[in-house]
Amino acid sequence: SSINFWGSNVVFSDGGFIEEYAEIERIVDNKSLYVIQLHKSGCSFDGDSRGYIFPEKANLGALNQDGKTVEESVNEILKMIEP
């Protein structure tokens, strides 16, 4: 997991445990908190201890990354979270 700054947004990547999310939720305003689930053909959590989390107080979104560049995916995520 890592924390990155993207403009005025903070990105916590690779959070597949609700305990990780709970710590972020403790310090961030829930209205500003988004969980974006990334999906891509051939990728899954099979054999991994992580999984998709579904926190009650976060804004949830999903993005299928098939055929998209990283830049395209980032732009789609920014559209989801910017007013």
Side-chain angles (χ1 to χ4, degrees):
S1 299
S2 66
I3 296 177
N4 302 289
F5 296 89
W6 192 282
S8 62
N9 301 302
V10 178
V11 177
F12 178 76
S13 64
D14 213 16
F17 300 102
I18 198 68
E19 296 82 7
E20 294 171 318
Y21 169 81
E23 187 61 23
I24 294 169
E25 182 181 57
R26 189 178 65 75
I27 59 174
V28 176
D29 176 14
N30 288 334
K31 293 181 291 189
S32 304
L33 194 52
Y34 291 81
V35 173
I36 309 296
Q37 298 171 346
L38 304 178
H39 301 271
K40 189 172 188 175
S41 294
C43 297
S44 73
F45 285 111
D46 290 347
D48 196 324
S49 60
R50 298 170 298 167
Y52 288 114
I53 61 173
F54 299 92
E56 292 180 24
K57 297 181 181 178
N59 299 289
L60 297 176
L63 175 65
N64 184 319
Q65 293 185 286
D66 286 341
K68 294 185 176 84
T69 65
V70 171
E71 184 175 308
E72 290 169 331
S73 293
V74 167
N75 286 334
E76 285 194 38
I77 291 168
L78 290 174
K79 288 178 189 174
M80 290 181 203
I81 66 174
E82 291 179 344

